[in-house]
Amino acid sequence: MTVRTAFDQELQDLRDNVLRLGSMVDTAIGRSIQALKERDQSLAQQIIAEDEDINALRFKIEGDCVRLIARQQPAARDLRFIVAAMNIVLDLERMGDHAAGIATIVLRMGGEPPLKPLIDLPRMAQIAREMLRASLDAFMSENEQEAMDVTGRDEEVDQLFNKIFRELITFMIEDPRTVTRAMYLIFCAHNLERIADRVTNICERVAFVATGRMEEIPSEAGTETGIIG
Amino acid sequence: MLTTNSLNSDITAKVSVENLFFYYSNQPALSDISIVIRDQKITALIGPSGCGKSTFLRCLNRMNDTIPDIRVEGRVLLDGQDIYAPGTNVVDLRQRVGMVFQRPNPFPQSVFDNVAFGPRVLGLHRTANLADIVEESLRGAALWDEVKDDLEQDALSLSLGQQQRLCIARVIAVRPEVILMDEPCSALDPIATLEVEELMQRLKKDYCIAIVTHNMQQAARASDWTGFFWLGELVEFAATQTIFTHPSQKLTENYITGRAG
């Protein structure tokens, strides 16, 4: 019964491009943690340079959305999908900024000796990336339940962040010479924590596509920011 | 099949249709339509050709009565009074429920005489100054400034958009309560269309308006409530913003997104 094949193809292209952007961001997060673990300055520089590609694709997708709205006058689910895509690419682009933020910290760390072996930070990154991929899967299938399942994992990331935060505070109290290095790691952890938060924004948009409701998905009390008292 | 959103809340019902069935020669054209058309609101009726929306609109002032071999069941209440009740004065009904058609259909007379026609027939000129009625109606239809310098000009010399607004002036000259519009902009260019839509927004402060339109963007832009007809049934009736952002029926969604119909 479909009589809008051209429009449907454009929506599919939009879906593909959002997925491509998500994949680029996922890779950037993974490489930023790799650069952190290995103190790989050239990889860090590469991540920062490639963030420009992420920014460019985000603006291209936004432009595509505006063009679709102007030319196709979408309604109902099509409209919700396009509006959601515009919001999601913004969150993805900011996640890319967080990955570039970690890369920048790697550059600042220079050749200082590691404070401690990195265990929880890579774990945070792993969960955040799994959440990101699952949120994009939910976007592809426009499945509210899948999106809701993803948001539940934000709590794991927040708890890891709090754990890292407490641990590094202890380091700093015990030996003030570690303050700079500890702060760098806290900044990295905070970037990862924000990435996971932005994944929940994507999930909210998936729920909007599926149900038409525009609502914030509630997080556990007191852990929204990931900062402990 | 009908789905409604808050159909019974916050209503100033002008026209209430209850379980309306309509048959042409025993062929059903409308099945079990129930809908509340609110006063001082614009209600749009959308759906593919042949879905019954124009037939439905014409039921609201008994314009279908002139067609032989039709049958109407159910009730159409105008301010609570069934317009199909025996003894209904159909001329009075059509004065209260005016109609604007697809193509502008001014009489081949002057602008003044077009607008004055209804008031003269109904004898309104005996209690009010005819020139005042004509001016008021032309102002109401946002046409006065364009024709005031030559009210004696032939109505057919006006542009199509002006002719349609003249027809609207002719309707409001008899002081109706409800204005029915059957694709009033389908013969008009985009500018004239927007002028009629602007006019509708002004008119709704004083009238109850129902419009049949093929132009879904017009329904989205101009109406407060939208009913979607399909094969003689009212599939969904809801606030226009709900219909165009989050309709509850898949069929509605498919139609407004151009995937059905």
Side-chain angles (χ1 to χ4, degrees):
Chain A
M1 206 157 205
T2 297
V3 290
R4 303 194 67 175
T5 47
F7 181 41
D8 283 339
Q9 184 56 52
E10 289 187 282
L11 288 175
Q12 187 56 45
D13 292 345
L14 174 59
R15 199 175 273 117
D16 291 347
N17 277 329
V18 172
L19 195 59
R20 191 152 66 88
L21 182 64
S23 171
M24 288 163 72
V25 170
D26 179 37
T27 303
I29 299 166
R31 293 168 104 192
S32 71
I33 292 302
Q34 187 190 343
L36 179 66
K37 279 199 294 192
E38 299 172 4
R39 300 298 187 90
D40 186 336
Q41 305 238 337
S42 75
L43 181 57
Q45 277 165 341
Q46 197 183 333
I47 294 161
I48 292 165
E50 287 176 2
D51 191 47
E52 291 303 314
D53 298 338
I54 291 174
N55 296 346
L57 182 55
R58 171 232 161 154
F59 285 119
K60 179 205 157 10
I61 295 172
E62 273 195 301
D64 289 346
C65 292
V66 170
R67 188 173 48 77
L68 275 175
I69 290 170
R71 297 188 55 183
Q72 299 285 358
Q73 285 112 39
R77 199 179 189 105
D78 296 335
L79 177 61
R80 301 201 303 274
F81 178 80
I82 293 169
V83 169
M86 292 180 83
N87 283 289
I88 287 171
V89 296
L90 170 69
D91 275 314
L92 287 173
E93 190 254 306
R94 292 289 158 82
M95 286 185 213
D97 291 343
H98 287 304
I102 292 173
T104 305
I105 292 166
V106 172
L107 293 180
R108 294 227 181 122
M109 282 175 162
E112 285 185 47
L115 185 61
K116 61 185 278 297
L118 296 181
I119 296 163
D120 289 331
L121 264 168
R123 178 76 193 127
M124 267 184 98
Q126 180 63 28
I127 299 171
R129 292 178 69 192
E130 285 169 11
M131 288 173 67
L132 171 58
R133 288 178 215 149
S135 74
L136 292 170
D137 286 345
F139 178 62
M140 292 301 127
S141 56
E142 299 177 18
N143 186 314
E144 184 196 14
Q145 189 54 52
E146 281 180 36
M148 289 302 186
D149 292 345
V150 175
T151 60
R153 301 202 66 191
D154 189 37
E155 180 64 12
E156 293 177 49
V157 176
D158 286 347
Q159 283 177 0
L160 277 171
F161 176 71
N162 290 339
K163 181 165 175 259
I164 291 168
F165 186 77
R166 272 194 296 265
E167 193 176 27
L168 291 168
I169 291 278
T170 312
F171 267 90
M172 290 189 276
I173 292 169
E174 287 177 356
D175 182 359
R177 285 174 301 175
T178 64
V179 165
T180 307
R181 283 177 292 163
M183 285 307 297
Y184 281 145
L185 292 180
I186 288 176
F187 292 152
C188 288
H190 188 244
N191 275 308
L192 291 170
E193 192 272 326
R194 295 299 301 148
I195 286 172
D197 284 347
R198 289 191 179 275
V199 172
T200 65
N201 291 349
I202 293 179
C203 295
E204 284 163 6
R205 296 298 149 179
V206 173
F208 168 66
V209 175
T211 67
R213 290 195 304 273
M214 224 182 267
E215 293 168 348
E216 181 161 5
I217 297 172
S219 49
E220 294 292 318
T223 61
E224 293 91 344
T225 63
I227 303 286
I228 53 168
Chain B
M1 198 170 181
L2 170 68
T3 307
T4 59
N5 280 19
S6 326
L7 195 59
N8 296 312
S9 64
D10 190 29
I11 286 183
T12 316
K14 186 67 186 178
V15 181
S16 299
V17 178
E18 297 175 354
N19 309 107
L20 184 74
F21 290 77
F22 185 91
Y23 303 86
Y24 291 108
S25 312
N26 287 326
Q27 290 294 314
L30 293 172
S31 296
D32 203 13
I33 308 292
S34 294
I35 190 172
V36 171
I37 299 177
R38 291 154 171 77
D39 203 11
Q40 296 180 308
K41 298 285 181 210
I42 298 171
T43 300
L45 308 173
I46 61 171
S49 296
C51 68
K53 57 193 188 300
S54 289
T55 299
F56 174 77
L57 196 73
R58 296 162 67 90
C59 284
L60 303 184
N61 70 346
R62 294 184 55 172
M63 286 293 282
N64 291 319
D65 284 13
T66 55
I67 304 168
D69 204 15
I70 57 122
R71 194 169 90 247
V72 182
E73 294 169 7
R75 302 205 304 167
V76 177
L77 307 176
L78 174 63
D79 286 338
Q81 298 289 312
D82 186 1
I83 65 170
Y84 285 93
T88 299
N89 183 327
V90 179
V91 174
D92 285 350
L93 170 68
R94 292 186 190 141
Q95 179 262 314
R96 294 177 67 193
V97 185
M99 195 154 195
V100 178
F101 297 88
Q102 190 169 349
R103 280 199 72 81
N105 55 351
F107 304 129
Q109 298 172 344
S110 70
V111 168
F112 186 94
D113 287 341
N114 262 276
V115 181
F117 184 89
R120 281 175 175 144
V121 169
L122 294 169
L124 299 182
H125 61 293
R126 285 194 281 275
T127 54
N129 184 320
L130 198 56
D132 290 343
I133 296 176
V134 169
E135 177 176 341
E136 188 185 319
S137 305
L138 286 168
R139 283 187 187 281
L143 188 60
W144 174 252
D145 288 342
E146 295 161 55
V147 298
K148 65 182 178 196
D149 296 331
D150 187 6
L151 293 175
E152 291 310 311
Q153 66 181 304
D154 186 349
L156 297 173
S157 68
L158 300 176
S159 74
L160 273 182
Q162 289 172 323
Q163 287 184 25
Q164 193 63 305
R165 280 180 283 141
L166 178 65
C167 292
I168 293 171
R170 199 172 61 189
V171 166
I172 61 182
V174 298
R175 304 191 173 143
E177 296 156 45
V178 181
I179 302 176
L180 308 177
M181 298 182 165
D182 192 353
E183 295 186 48
C185 301
S186 62
L188 306 185
D189 69 21
I191 300 294
T193 295
L194 286 178
E195 284 168 352
V196 170
E197 287 178 14
E198 282 289 311
L199 175 57
M200 286 163 58
Q201 296 302 324
R202 285 174 45 189
L203 291 175
K204 82 171 184 182
K205 296 184 181 72
D206 301 311
Y207 303 95
C208 164
I209 298 176
I211 175 174
V212 162
T213 177
H214 266 131
N215 180 338
M216 275 177 289
Q217 290 311 311
Q218 179 168 61
R221 277 193 304 265
S223 71
D224 302 296
W225 290 82
T226 297
F228 168 53
F229 282 74
W230 180 268
L231 299 176
E233 294 188 33
L234 180 62
V235 175
E236 187 164 352
F237 180 58
T240 296
Q241 63 176 15
T242 302
I243 293 280
F244 285 93
T245 59
H246 188 224
S248 67
Q249 299 298 303
K250 191 71 191 162
L251 194 54
T252 313
E253 168 125 12
N254 285 344
Y255 181 70
I256 62 165
T257 58
R259 292 185 174 80

